[in-house]
Amino acid sequence: MGTNYDDSDSGLHGSWPPTGSPHPADAQSRVDFVSSDRFDDTPDLALGYAPLATSGVHPNKDQKLDDDGKATRRGRMGGGFRLMLFSSFATLLLIFMLPLALGLPGKVDPWSIRSIANGNVNVTFLDGNGDLLAHRGYRQEETVPLSEIPPYLVQAVLAMEDRRFYRHWGVDILGVLRAAQANFAAGGIVEGGSTITQQLARNLYLDGSRTFTRKAQEAALAFWLEQQLTKDEILELYLNRIYLGAGAYGVEAASKVYFSKGVRDLTVSEAALIAGLPKAPAQLSPAKDLPRAQDRAALVLEKLEETGWMTAAEIEAARAAPAVVELEERSRDMRASYFVDWVYSRMQLFVDGPPRELVVETTYDPELQRMGEEALAATFDGLRSNAKVDQGALVALDHSGAVKAMVGGRDYLESQFNRATQAVRQPGSAFKPLVYMAALQNGYTPYSGIVDRPVRINGWKPLNANKRYSGWMQMRNAIAYSVNTIAVRVGYKVGLDKVADYARMSGITTPLPAHPSLALGAMGTKLHELTGSYVPLANGGFEAPAHGITRISNVDGDVLYERARNIIGAMPPPYRENSSGEELVDEDAAITPILNKVATTSDVQTMTKMLKRVISIGTGRRASLGTREAAGKTGTTNDNRDALFVGYTADLVTGVWMGNDDNSEMDRVYGGTLPASTWATFMTAAHEGKPRRKIYTPIWVKPHPSQYKKRAPEPVIEEIPVVEAPVAPSFSALRGKLNGLSNALAAAAPLEPPAPEPARTRSRGMDRSVFRSRDD
């Protein structure tokens, strides 16, 4: 930087101000900068300079300001001596009264604090292969002494956060007044008044609430910290604890996360990027929005140039070589972000206690995730311009309910809202398999005859998709062609309470209203739950809710949660047979853990046969996988606001949703069109190289190894053998019975052949032409 530094200087490894640069007080007389950045919580106070003091020395705290400084101050205060007097009185009042009124900790020992406030944990996620997937929570490295932090990083942080850091006593009254003036002029909050000391106090002892009481406690703690620690200690502690996005706490952690290097090796441009993060780390993190972070770094360089703490040549050199963020890990993290966010939000269900470092093993499959994203992207790339659909989601599970892939939207950077787990949308006809499963459990069969005709229940009159009726038909055809009136009749006759009970047992947790429209999926549910409700149909009737965590351990290897402990049994390997129809058993194949039984095997086998017809002859023909056996159901809601396809094979259960976040109407997008074709694209790629197997639902279940109990050995009892005399066998009684039976048969009259039955004729017919134009 063209500056001579003296390593013996303990405040920073350099003298202040830098040689050859104008004195900050002189520079400040030419600068009157007020930040208007919308992300700022506090103003960039330009009421004086913030020199980096040597250890134990606080410039401008023990010395009077020169004439230029006084003139500048009076100009800032509008020239009012009364205002300055009032500010001084208010400062003294706060110093002496707030600690007494609010109470403070008995002592301060911030250097011993190693956990982060607000209950965060440092979590490392592993995928299903045991490889690193992502980090969540905090990441904190070793404390770096202030003297070893590059001076330009410290300068940049002070320029952005608290230029008067070395001039105030924890709360900058002038900064608060100026922020109030700016907020009043803007008609809203555009600036705050928190100093670095206040931010540190909040980080160490307070929560993130924005109330007057919390603000008063923050001010009192800031005054108190100023009495307990030196300015350099406060600044060093702040730089090593401040949150800087992507789970990084402290400048050392942020340097390693963003640049894969320590803070001591940062360049000026890299330091500027980090210095721009404290005010809005979640929004400005380069791991989330790189262009936004780069714009913020440019603003930091502008402020450094305005303060005069760095020369114009140094600033231009930094601009010419902007920071390059290591995006390889960021790219991997972004691909899994929807899944990791969902898993991270569910961790509190399995572990509790104080903050700590955890390792979470998940069910995530990177290859299936890539295939899911590519399938959804390919659909949108080939979308016709007037389709009026802007979002989609996909979730894939295995037969135990383990989530293998989760695509929560088209672009995580644009929207972190997970449409696979957070969006509550109507499933439409994709809910009908649960209705017909309740019917099968209550005496219906695929060949049960129901009449497709207008129906009215309590004033509600449902219509078919094509507004036509076909008369008598079998239930298996009703589901294949997605006939609404028959689904409503069946659901109403079986009982809506029984339909809701089965839906809850199969994994649906959203409210299920007792209205006949329940049979048509006219209620809200989540895609991952709806997809999970199809898993019992694929695995033999066993409950297997969608889950993403298999094990949670601490850094010492202690297991805090393991899903296997909640499992009651395990299914054998998938069914296979040879050319003679004999079952082939693979002893080395992995077993599939399961939970409770929610349906009989015969019922789910029957439903699978019915859902196979949806793909072969019904509304889901675009979901065909050729010669590979597949079953599924389409779903489309009123006015085409939601379109879904949920289906399964012998290996995977997958659900696809398409629609608009604002719930607006799509143009001719049905469950049997884009969602079905997206499902087929993904499933084709996911099954490449896998053998073609039937969707077999096994009956036999063996206990899971975690359920085995060690039994005490039974006592050995010595038995004394008893010698018995042999008895000669006697066949006389048996011979007599056989002779009697033979005589009776010989005396019986011969049987007459049965008379031929007349040919049966069909009394009712079904108009199949109505299905030709039916989409769902």
Side-chain angles (χ1 to χ4, degrees):
M1 291 175 54
T3 305
N4 296 323
Y5 294 106
D6 180 5
D7 292 336
S8 64
D9 203 11
S10 59
L12 272 179
H13 50 267
S15 59
W16 187 267
T19 305
S21 63
H23 192 280
D26 296 334
Q28 189 55 56
S29 64
R30 295 181 278 105
V31 177
D32 184 13
F33 182 82
V34 179
S35 172
S36 60
D37 193 318
R38 59 178 295 190
F39 297 108
D40 284 1
D41 294 330
T42 59
D44 301 307
L45 306 178
L47 302 181
Y49 80 106
L52 303 181
T54 58
S55 179
V57 180
H58 304 281
N60 299 304
K61 180 177 178 181
D62 301 322
Q63 303 174 12
K64 295 182 179 180
L65 291 173
D66 54 21
D67 293 337
D68 291 338
K70 288 182 179 179
T72 303
R73 243 199 223 183
R74 285 196 296 271
R76 295 283 178 174
M77 298 173 59
F81 178 73
R82 296 178 189 175
L83 185 57
M84 184 171 64
L85 206 58
F86 170 78
S87 301
S88 301
F89 176 75
T91 301
L92 292 174
L93 182 65
L94 287 172
I95 291 174
F96 291 106
M97 297 303 294
L98 277 179
L100 297 176
L102 301 175
L104 294 173
K107 64 178 181 177
V108 59
D109 188 15
W111 304 104
S112 65
I113 298 176
R114 289 295 175 261
S115 61
I116 302 300
N118 302 327
N120 289 330
V121 293
N122 182 11
V123 185
T124 299
F125 292 94
L126 306 179
D127 63 22
N129 302 320
D131 298 327
L132 176 64
L133 179 60
H135 288 285
R136 286 293 187 272
Y138 76 85
R139 177 173 177 176
Q140 192 175 24
E141 303 290 339
E142 74 278 2
T143 298
V144 180
L146 186 64
S147 60
E148 298 181 15
I149 298 176
Y152 41 82
L153 173 57
V154 183
Q155 294 166 12
V157 171
L158 290 175
M160 294 293 291
E161 300 298 319
D162 190 357
R163 296 188 188 182
R164 288 177 49 83
F165 174 70
Y166 283 97
R167 290 192 175 190
H168 59 65
W169 291 354
V171 176
D172 192 341
I173 300 299
L174 299 180
V176 173
L177 293 175
R178 196 190 72 178
Q181 180 183 6
N183 294 336
F184 179 78
I189 299 178
V190 295
E191 292 188 9
S194 296
T195 63
I196 281 179
T197 311
Q198 286 176 273
Q199 294 180 47
L200 180 62
R202 179 171 64 236
N203 179 264
L204 290 174
Y205 300 110
L206 301 174
D207 58 27
S209 60
R210 303 175 69 87
T211 63
F212 176 78
T213 301
R214 204 273 300 160
K215 199 69 177 177
Q217 291 175 332
E218 179 185 294
L221 286 168
F223 283 127
W224 177 66
L225 282 174
E226 291 277 348
Q227 304 305 314
Q228 303 295 320
L229 304 171
T230 67
K231 284 286 188 180
D232 287 352
E233 289 175 333
I234 291 173
L235 186 57
E236 179 179 319
L237 189 57
Y238 173 83
L239 292 172
N240 281 281
R241 291 187 62 88
I242 188 66
Y243 182 59
L244 296 169
Y249 282 81
V251 293
E252 177 71 5
S255 300
K256 291 185 176 180
V257 167
Y258 298 133
F259 305 113
S260 301
K261 64 172 72 171
V263 66
R264 300 168 181 85
D265 301 322
L266 290 180
T267 64
V268 175
S269 58
E270 293 168 344
L273 188 144
I274 290 179
L277 300 178
K279 289 300 168 39
Q283 291 84 1
L284 295 173
S285 168
K288 178 180 180 181
D289 194 337
L290 181 59
R292 219 171 183 181
Q294 291 173 336
D295 292 341
R296 183 74 172 178
L299 177 61
V300 174
L301 293 176
E302 289 180 11
K303 290 193 175 185
L304 278 174
E305 187 176 18
E306 290 169 350
T307 60
W309 297 347
M310 293 183 66
T311 65
E314 293 169 335
I315 297 296
E316 286 302 320
R319 287 174 178 154
V324 178
V325 179
E326 297 290 340
L327 296 181
E328 181 177 358
E329 182 175 349
R330 169 179 174 267
S331 177
R332 180 179 64 248
D333 184 82
M334 289 300 103
R335 171 161 287 178
S337 289
Y338 285 118
F339 174 80
V340 174
D341 287 350
W342 173 64
V343 170
Y344 186 63
S345 68
R346 295 180 57 82
M347 283 181 55
Q348 60 182 345
L349 301 176
F350 310 116
V351 295
D352 54 12
R356 56 199 180 280
E357 297 187 36
L358 301 175
V359 177
V360 177
E361 299 174 41
T362 71
T363 59
Y364 180 87
D365 188 320
E367 280 302 304
L368 289 180
Q369 178 71 22
R370 178 186 59 80
M371 295 173 185
E373 292 183 353
E374 290 178 352
L376 197 63
T379 298
F380 280 100
D381 290 342
L383 201 63
R384 53 187 172 84
S385 58
N386 61 342
K388 298 180 182 178
V389 53
D390 61 13
Q391 277 297 345
L394 180 149
V395 60
L397 298 79
D398 67 11
H399 285 192
S400 69
V403 177
K404 296 297 183 179
M406 178 179 289
V407 185
R410 296 179 63 182
D411 192 335
Y412 181 82
L413 292 180
E414 291 183 0
S415 172
Q416 291 77 55
F417 181 71
N418 193 336
R419 294 152 191 87
T421 62
Q422 293 177 283
V424 179
R425 307 294 293 249
Q426 292 187 5
S429 297
F431 186 78
K432 289 177 182 176
L434 308 186
V435 177
Y436 289 118
M437 274 300 301
L440 292 175
Q441 292 177 338
N442 287 273
Y444 281 76
T445 72
Y447 303 98
S448 296
I450 308 103
V451 180
D452 176 20
R453 64 184 180 185
V455 59
R456 184 186 299 271
I457 302 177
N458 297 330
W460 176 64
K461 184 179 180 180
L463 300 175
N464 290 326
N466 59 5
K467 298 180 176 61
R468 297 171 63 184
Y469 305 95
S470 58
W472 181 92
M473 69 170 59
Q474 297 173 343
M475 194 171 72
R476 60 176 187 154
N477 291 325
I479 191 172
Y481 300 113
S482 198
V483 181
N484 289 339
T485 59
I486 290 183
V488 172
R489 288 181 183 275
V490 171
Y492 189 75
K493 290 182 179 179
V494 170
L496 298 175
D497 56 339
K498 295 179 181 179
V499 173
D501 288 343
Y502 177 78
R504 292 189 186 97
M505 287 190 300
S506 65
I508 304 294
T509 63
T510 49
L512 301 173
H515 189 276
S517 62
L518 175 67
L520 302 183
M523 79 298 174
T525 187
K526 300 174 182 177
L527 179 62
H528 78 289
E529 290 186 357
L530 179 66
T531 306
S533 70
Y534 279 61
V535 173
L537 306 180
N539 68 15
F542 296 102
E543 174 195 8
H547 64 277
I549 299 176
T550 58
R551 185 182 292 111
I552 301 177
S553 309
N554 58 24
V555 291
D556 297 325
D558 300 326
V559 177
L560 306 179
Y561 164 81
E562 188 174 14
R563 181 171 175 78
R565 297 175 183 175
N566 299 328
I567 293 171
I568 64 170
M571 294 187 300
Y575 176 79
R576 294 187 304 158
E577 60 184 30
N578 58 20
S579 58
S580 302
E582 297 175 347
E583 181 179 1
L584 297 177
V585 179
D586 185 358
E587 299 292 346
D588 298 328
I591 59 177
T592 302
I594 49 86
L595 293 171
N596 299 318
K597 190 87 168 176
V598 299
T600 65
T601 302
S602 60
D603 284 343
V604 297
Q605 286 179 328
T606 300
M607 179 55 63
T608 295
K609 292 178 181 178
M610 294 168 65
L611 294 180
K612 286 165 57 179
R613 288 167 54 84
V614 174
I615 295 178
S616 61
I617 66 171
T619 59
R621 291 185 294 274
R622 294 192 185 184
S624 174
L625 301 181
T627 58
R628 187 179 299 276
E629 192 172 273
K633 184 67 185 76
T634 56
T636 308
T637 62
N638 289 341
D639 301 324
N640 294 356
R641 300 181 188 277
D642 300 274
L644 305 94
F645 187 88
V646 184
Y648 53 94
T649 65
D651 300 288
L652 288 176
V653 183
T654 301
V656 177
W657 168 87
M658 299 190 73
N660 297 309
D661 288 338
D662 61 0
N663 203 32
S664 60
E665 181 179 350
M666 297 179 289
D667 181 45
R668 291 176 295 164
V669 176
Y670 311 103
T673 57
L674 295 180
S677 59
T678 302
W679 186 90
T681 301
F682 167 74
M683 294 294 268
T684 300
H687 289 80
E688 186 175 355
K690 292 182 179 295
R692 294 183 178 89
R693 297 189 290 111
K694 295 181 179 180
I695 303 174
Y696 175 68
T697 50
I699 299 175
W700 173 76
V701 174
K702 67 178 181 180
H704 190 273
S706 64
Q707 302 296 320
Y708 289 148
K709 296 182 179 179
K710 296 181 179 180
R711 297 183 178 179
E714 297 182 358
V716 179
I717 301 176
E718 184 177 357
E719 298 183 357
I720 301 175
V722 178
V723 179
E724 298 182 356
V727 178
S730 176
F731 301 102
S732 58
L734 178 61
R735 186 179 296 108
K737 290 181 179 180
L738 291 176
N739 291 334
L741 179 61
S742 176
N743 294 333
L745 291 174
L751 297 176
E752 296 293 334
E757 296 183 1
R760 296 182 181 180
T761 60
R762 188 169 182 173
S763 60
R764 291 182 178 178
M766 180 176 62
D767 181 10
R768 297 177 179 272
S769 64
V770 298
F771 303 127
R772 294 174 183 171
S773 61
R774 189 187 303 276
D775 290 314
D776 189 0

